[in-house]
Amino acid sequence: MSTRASIAIALAIDLAATLLFVLVGRGSHQADAGIVGLLTTWWPFAAALLLGWLVTAAWKRPFGILWPGAGIWLVTLVGGMLFRTASGQGTAVPFLLVATLTLAVLLIGWRGIFAAVSRRNRPASAELPRKTERYP
């Protein structure tokens, strides 16, 4: 897979994860099913996600779990809440807690699954050689 394709796939998965977060949240509150309501709720998290990609330079290692994964999650969470507040949307404590956990599972979790599957599917010849001790 090319580098550009890897970047595009990782970014698409991240955007889909934030969209899933919004869809499930809106569905659990019986929110208006219209596209305007959906975009109004999603844009703060989508914008913060893109900011997270910039802050972490995620394109250099898009599938990394801790970096950029955890960095993207943190910027998406904090930035999303700040953008929601700036646009007059709510940020109640229960929502903040749910968003913290859900976005972590979605944005870091898929990277963990990818890493586990990649390791499992790696041919034995691709493993790094082990260091051997040298005696003088």
Side-chain angles (χ1 to χ4, degrees):
M1 180 178 349
S2 75
T3 301
R4 284 186 179 179
S6 295
I7 293 167
I9 289 168
L11 180 58
I13 293 170
D14 280 346
L15 285 167
T18 59
L19 182 58
L20 177 63
F21 163 68
V22 168
L23 286 168
V24 170
R26 288 179 58 79
S28 70
H29 294 287
Q30 293 79 36
D32 175 26
I35 190 73
V36 172
L38 174 66
L39 292 176
T40 299
T41 306
W42 185 39
W43 84 260
F45 296 102
L49 173 77
L50 296 176
L51 181 61
W53 266 69
L54 288 173
V55 167
T56 63
W59 58 89
K60 293 180 181 178
R61 195 170 168 253
F63 298 100
I65 299 169
L66 293 178
W67 198 261
I72 290 170
W73 160 70
L74 188 59
V75 173
T76 302
L77 174 67
V78 173
M81 294 302 167
L82 291 173
F83 289 146
R84 280 181 63 86
T85 300
S87 64
Q89 299 182 55
T91 55
V93 172
F95 174 64
L96 180 59
L97 296 173
V98 169
T100 299
L101 296 174
T102 305
L103 289 171
V105 167
L106 293 172
L107 295 174
I108 299 171
W110 77 258
R111 287 175 167 85
I113 292 168
F114 178 84
V117 170
S118 294
R119 267 193 302 271
R120 189 168 189 220
N121 291 335
R122 186 181 323 153
S125 62
E127 291 182 18
L128 297 175
R130 295 180 185 200
K131 287 187 175 182
T132 58
E133 291 185 38
R134 292 187 182 183
Y135 298 98

